[in-house]
């Protein structure tokens, strides 16, 4: 636990010092939200104010983008050889990777707060009670945790930080073929199957229902099931890849 805490503090400090990446992770989701609300929102009919519809999707996009940055951090550590130094100090791979993941969760908490603040300024008005807020936070945290560990595995698999950064664009794209920005029913029929059955859609639907006090059905449970599955596979893959890279 001590080593994991030390690695978390280290990764958090590194994130704070990388001002360009930090500003991008904070500003990009806000800019996308403003673009969709003010450029496209007037032409998209969702049955409600578009800002109300789109904010849950932006939150997930923000969370995925921030989590994917973990891949670059892990790959950078492997490329720079600092992991060998940590291992000589008896710091295990679990602590190193946990530090990156915990720092990712912290970064995403800040980014989520920024998105919420701007969303309130432009008209987002949730109807959630305390229990709904807690449930929404839990679903979003589970998503961040799962994708942060998945990103850690990608970072161990990538040969360089530049290669690992490609995963960021994949995760950034994933919310688009979902219910994040438009209802799935408006998409072409051949896209429905993927849009309805990918991990992002139940997370967005759970957040939308909880924050707007609407029926959520089984969306929260599907979202948590997806997150649990991704987390289990990613942690196991990360452990195996770390052993192989440091053997």
């Amino acid at each position: 636990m001590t080593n994991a805490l030390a690695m978390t503090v280290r990764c958090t400090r590194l994130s704070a010092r990388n001002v360009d990446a930090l500003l991008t992770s904070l500003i990009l989701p806000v800019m996308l939200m403003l673009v969709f609300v003010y450029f496209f929102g007037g032409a998209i009919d969702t049955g409600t104010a578009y800002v109300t519809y789109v904010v849950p999707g932006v939150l997930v996009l923000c969370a995925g983008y921030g989590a994917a940055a973990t891949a670059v951090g892990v790959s950078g550590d492997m490329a720079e050889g600092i992991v060998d130094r940590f291992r000589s100090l008896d710091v295990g791979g679990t602590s190193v990777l946990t530090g990156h993941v915990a720092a990712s969760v912290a970064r995403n908490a800040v980014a989520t707060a920024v998105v919420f603040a701007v969303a309130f300024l432009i008209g987002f008005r949730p109807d959630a009670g305390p229990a709904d807020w807690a449930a929404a936070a839990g679903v979003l945290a589970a998503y961040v945790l799962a994708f942060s560990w998945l990103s850690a595995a990608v970072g161990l698999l990538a040969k360089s930080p530049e290669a690992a950064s490609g995963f960021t664009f994949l995760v950034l794209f994933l919310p688009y073929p979902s219910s994040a920005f438009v209802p799935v029913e408006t998409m072409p029929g051949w896209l429905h199957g993927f849009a309805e059955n990918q991990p992002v859609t139940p997370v967005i639907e759970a957040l939308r229902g909880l924050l707007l006090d609407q029926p959520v059905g089984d969306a929260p449970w599907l979202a948590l099931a997806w997150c649990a599955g991704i987390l289990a596979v990613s942690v196991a893959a990360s452990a195996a890849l770390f052993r192989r890279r440091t053997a």
Side-chain angles (χ1 to χ4, degrees):
M1 288 296 295
T2 301
N3 288 339
L5 180 59
M7 292 297 101
T8 300
V9 172
R10 167 187 175 264
C11 293
T12 303
R13 288 177 175 174
L14 289 175
S15 297
R17 292 170 183 170
N18 191 349
V19 179
D20 292 344
L22 184 61
L23 288 177
T24 300
S25 66
L26 295 176
I27 294 174
L28 181 61
V30 171
M31 293 301 297
L32 286 174
M33 178 171 61
L34 296 177
V35 166
F36 273 94
V37 170
Y38 291 113
F39 291 5
F40 307 135
I44 300 175
D45 182 15
T46 60
T48 183
Y50 190 65
V51 64
T52 301
Y53 182 89
V54 80
V55 166
V58 173
L59 290 173
V60 173
L61 185 147
C62 171
Y65 181 79
T70 305
V72 179
V74 171
S75 182
D77 276 357
M78 300 304 296
E80 294 168 2
I82 194 170
V83 172
D84 293 331
R85 175 61 175 165
F86 289 149
R87 286 171 61 82
S88 72
L89 296 172
D90 199 27
V91 177
T94 301
S95 297
V96 174
L97 297 178
T98 298
H100 280 285
V101 170
S104 172
V105 173
R107 287 195 307 269
N108 273 282
V110 176
T112 299
V114 171
V115 170
F116 264 122
V118 176
F120 277 110
L121 289 175
I122 63 175
F124 180 62
R125 296 295 182 266
D127 296 318
D132 293 330
W133 277 106
V139 170
L140 191 60
Y143 180 79
V144 172
L145 184 64
F147 271 78
S148 294
W149 273 106
L150 178 60
S151 299
V154 171
L156 291 167
L157 192 62
K159 299 302 183 182
S160 67
E162 291 76 17
S165 66
F167 182 66
T168 303
F169 295 100
L170 175 63
V171 175
L172 191 63
F173 172 77
L174 197 57
Y176 287 91
S178 74
S179 62
F181 302 108
V182 296
V184 172
E185 294 76 19
T186 65
M187 298 179 182
W190 56 266
L191 190 56
H192 282 186
F194 177 77
E196 291 177 347
N197 297 285
Q198 61 136 315
V200 169
T201 296
V203 175
I204 293 170
E205 290 302 312
L207 292 178
R208 185 172 287 134
L210 291 168
L211 293 176
L212 302 179
D213 195 24
Q214 298 173 351
V216 295
D218 57 357
W221 303 112
L222 286 174
L224 292 176
W226 268 109
C227 293
I230 293 171
L231 180 62
V233 172
S234 300
V235 170
S238 296
L241 289 168
F242 189 87
R243 286 194 298 268
R244 191 183 75 176
R245 288 288 301 270
T246 57

